[in-house]
Amino acid sequence: MTRHRIGTALALLVALTGVGAVVPLTASATTDTYAVARTASATTAADFAVQTASATARDAVVAALDRAARPLRTVEPGGADGDLRPLDRMVGGARVVGVGEATHSSHDFFALKDRLFRHLVEEKGFRTFALEASRSTGQRLDAYVVHGTGDPRRILREEFQRDYLWWNNTDYLRLVEWMRAYDVRHPDDPVRFLGDDIGWGGPELYDAVTDYVAGTHPEADDRFAALYRGLRPSVPTGPYMEQYLNKPYAERKEMAGRTGRALELLKRLGPGRDRAAYDVAVQSATAVDQVARQYGFDFADPAQVAASMRYRDESMAANVVWWQEHTGTKVLLSAHDAHVAYETMDRAHYPKMQGAFLRDRLGAGYVSVGLTFDRGSFNATGPDGAIHRWTLGPAGPGSNEATLDRVRYGDYVIDLRRLGSPAGAWLDRARPTRSIGTDYPDEGPYDVALARSHDVLIHLHRVEAARLRDR
């Protein structure tokens, strides 16, 4: 989420901000600590002893991580996947696996999710890829994936605008094209695409409701037309979101009231002879209501800003659970690290995260996979409002990444639930961790306790900025 533009676009949509300041190259080996102690004239014997003990403790943590880590061959999809077998055991029987990202626009995170999804489809029976995108966007992509309807390049261009523009990249295009190819080969057991977010609701959602009402309860046509007045989009995604955000609070609140009444009316009308069509209509009306309610908070009030953030994560979790239960498919959920996590890194602004809501609903049926990186690049919006490619050096001393990057493997996966002392205790403590959203530079740092936030961790030594399309 981008929460620093309070009073305008504020923080409604995609990215969580966090740590990630550019840091200089730093030493982390034990011998460097000794060298500093010998050459700094102000360093006392007590200081030296503390530094030595701290370095020894860090070495013990790294040694334990070395033993527990399982190396990754590559982040790129395709080729042998024997290195992902340990992940199969970590996923176990989970019905939903949330896979995070430490930036919202690095190629390596997107490519790795593509690779993980293909593997989980083939080896663990997963059939749905869920993304921080609106339900209507997911419907358009799902129609392409399952039936070949539409042009994926056009869908990405039209749907992923404004706060969602980061998803219009070459990696996700490759993923949806692979999904379509898979479904051509497996028409009776297709993979699906779900959008679980609530920042935008396309005209398809309104049409599903009004078409159902017209065919089943025509006497209610005029009532739904009045309740949805001025809500059905008539402009592209980006301008619609901008216009909605710029409406006065009272108007946005009134619109949310109408969408809620429309949903309740539809439920009272009940199903006709086509129960499946009714279920689609109710879920579409629910999505319309979620969008309006997300915009229906007073963004000049910090307490309501926090409430809106909580509402968004709770709604996203509910949408994933609904989909999983109604389709019976296992789901890979793609979102920011903070969204898939159990603990919030900023309770004042983000009271409870999607991962925590999913754990409440699914228990052990949900597994959270966090991603970290030591250095590299990403795309983000700068202070001038333009998109820039930002590059970071190695993580600074005292951070989670500085220690994680000392493990002998460049890229690796580790089961945080099975770590004993000293590594488990070390990761159970909150430390500065990069968590970069759509805007950069950002506020921070935020302290994250990785072992309390995720079940599994994937660490990458270096990442490169994603290649955005249509920019």
Side-chain angles (χ1 to χ4, degrees):
M1 242 333 123
T2 307
R3 66 170 174 81
H4 304 302
R5 301 174 185 172
I6 293 177
T8 55
L10 179 72
L12 277 187
L13 297 168
V14 179
L16 274 143
T17 58
V19 206
V22 179
V23 294
L25 186 65
T26 55
S28 59
T30 306
T31 51
D32 295 322
T33 303
Y34 277 101
V36 171
R38 284 197 304 266
T39 57
S41 58
T43 300
T44 66
D47 294 329
F48 180 80
V50 169
Q51 292 174 359
T52 302
S54 176
T56 301
R58 287 197 301 271
D59 287 346
V61 169
V62 172
L65 292 172
D66 269 342
R67 294 189 294 270
R70 298 295 177 263
L72 288 179
R73 180 180 61 85
T74 181
V75 300
E76 302 296 340
D81 62 356
D83 58 318
L84 295 179
R85 302 295 182 195
L87 183 67
D88 294 344
R89 296 189 292 273
M90 299 176 194
V91 167
R95 290 173 283 158
V96 177
V97 174
V99 182
E101 55 200 32
T103 82
H104 260 323
S105 193
S106 290
H107 156 75
D108 301 74
F109 296 141
F110 297 149
L112 179 59
K113 293 182 187 192
D114 184 353
R115 186 181 184 220
L116 294 180
F117 183 63
R118 298 188 194 194
H119 174 79
L120 292 173
V121 167
E122 298 286 356
E123 299 298 329
K124 299 286 287 185
F126 279 60
R127 290 295 181 270
T128 295
F129 186 89
L131 180 64
E132 280 182 79
S134 77
R135 182 170 179 83
S136 54
T137 300
Q139 288 176 343
R140 291 188 69 184
L141 287 169
D142 191 54
Y144 168 73
V145 166
V146 178
H147 303 295
T149 304
D151 175 4
R153 293 167 177 79
R154 179 177 179 179
I155 296 171
L156 294 181
R157 181 173 64 252
E158 292 179 349
E159 294 290 332
F160 295 142
Q161 299 181 18
R162 202 177 180 277
D163 298 69
Y164 291 114
L165 66 86
W166 315 101
W167 307 156
N168 185 13
N169 60 65
T170 56
D171 296 297
Y172 278 156
L173 176 61
R174 177 177 59 180
L175 170 61
V176 297
E177 288 179 335
W178 176 86
M179 293 173 71
R180 175 58 190 152
Y182 181 93
D183 285 356
V184 169
R185 299 192 306 272
H186 305 87
D188 298 326
D189 186 21
V191 294
R192 307 287 302 275
F193 198 105
L194 169 66
D196 73 314
D197 205 356
I198 61 173
W200 147 261
E204 300 89 349
L205 299 176
Y206 298 86
D207 294 345
V209 178
T210 56
D211 289 352
Y212 173 80
V213 171
T216 309
H217 302 284
E219 71 281 2
D221 275 354
D222 291 344
R223 296 172 69 185
F224 276 90
L227 291 169
Y228 283 160
R229 184 185 70 255
L231 282 165
R232 187 183 187 279
S234 58
V235 296
T237 307
Y240 180 87
M241 295 166 67
E242 193 72 33
Q243 292 171 14
Y244 209 144
L245 280 164
N246 287 328
K247 294 180 184 294
Y249 166 56
E251 184 177 351
R252 289 184 278 111
K253 185 177 180 181
E254 186 272 336
M255 294 164 77
R258 286 193 276 122
T259 60
R261 292 195 296 274
L263 176 59
E264 290 306 312
L265 174 58
L266 181 62
K267 290 179 178 179
R268 288 199 304 270
L269 291 173
R273 288 172 297 192
D274 189 345
R275 179 69 196 214
Y278 172 74
D279 288 343
V280 170
V282 169
Q283 194 60 17
S284 297
T286 299
V288 167
D289 187 48
Q290 288 174 337
V291 173
R293 289 185 184 278
Q294 174 71 351
Y295 285 98
F297 289 88
D298 182 0
F299 301 125
D301 180 352
Q304 287 213 34
V305 172
S308 76
M309 299 300 101
R310 189 184 195 281
Y311 177 74
R312 180 193 177 208
D313 276 81
E314 184 176 17
S315 298
M316 291 194 295
N319 292 338
V320 171
V321 171
W322 182 92
W323 177 275
Q324 197 282 315
E325 291 176 345
H326 281 73
T327 66
T329 60
K330 294 181 180 181
V331 180
L332 186 152
L333 168 63
S334 172
H336 194 277
D337 274 345
H339 282 306
V340 303
Y342 298 126
E343 289 196 354
T344 176
M345 64 184 185
D346 182 3
R347 191 169 301 279
H349 298 99
Y350 305 99
K352 187 172 180 178
M353 309 312 301
Q354 184 181 14
F357 285 112
L358 287 169
R359 181 170 58 181
D360 290 346
R361 297 284 298 273
L362 300 175
Y366 175 68
V367 168
S368 175
V369 181
L371 272 65
T372 56
F373 74 105
D374 181 64
R375 65 194 74 187
S377 58
F378 56 91
N379 303 304
T381 304
D384 59 357
I387 295 173
H388 298 275
R389 174 186 173 124
W390 304 87
T391 299
L392 305 185
S399 66
N400 273 315
E401 295 91 344
T403 295
L404 292 170
D405 208 58
R406 291 181 58 198
V407 172
R408 55 181 164 167
Y409 309 115
D411 302 340
Y412 60 89
V413 58
I414 195 162
D415 192 335
L416 299 175
R417 298 161 297 185
R418 296 182 178 275
L419 282 175
S421 294
W426 190 87
L427 288 168
D428 205 49
R429 180 177 174 184
R431 288 180 173 80
T433 308
R434 286 174 173 157
S435 186
I436 298 164
T438 58
D439 290 352
Y440 194 81
D442 51 19
E443 294 182 359
Y446 291 109
D447 289 340
V448 178
L450 291 172
R452 299 203 306 264
S453 297
H454 307 287
D455 300 302
V456 177
L457 179 71
I458 296 177
H459 179 75
L460 303 181
H461 173 63
R462 182 186 297 274
V463 300
E464 296 295 331
R467 182 180 175 187
L468 301 177
R469 301 179 60 253
D470 304 314
R471 301 301 306 171

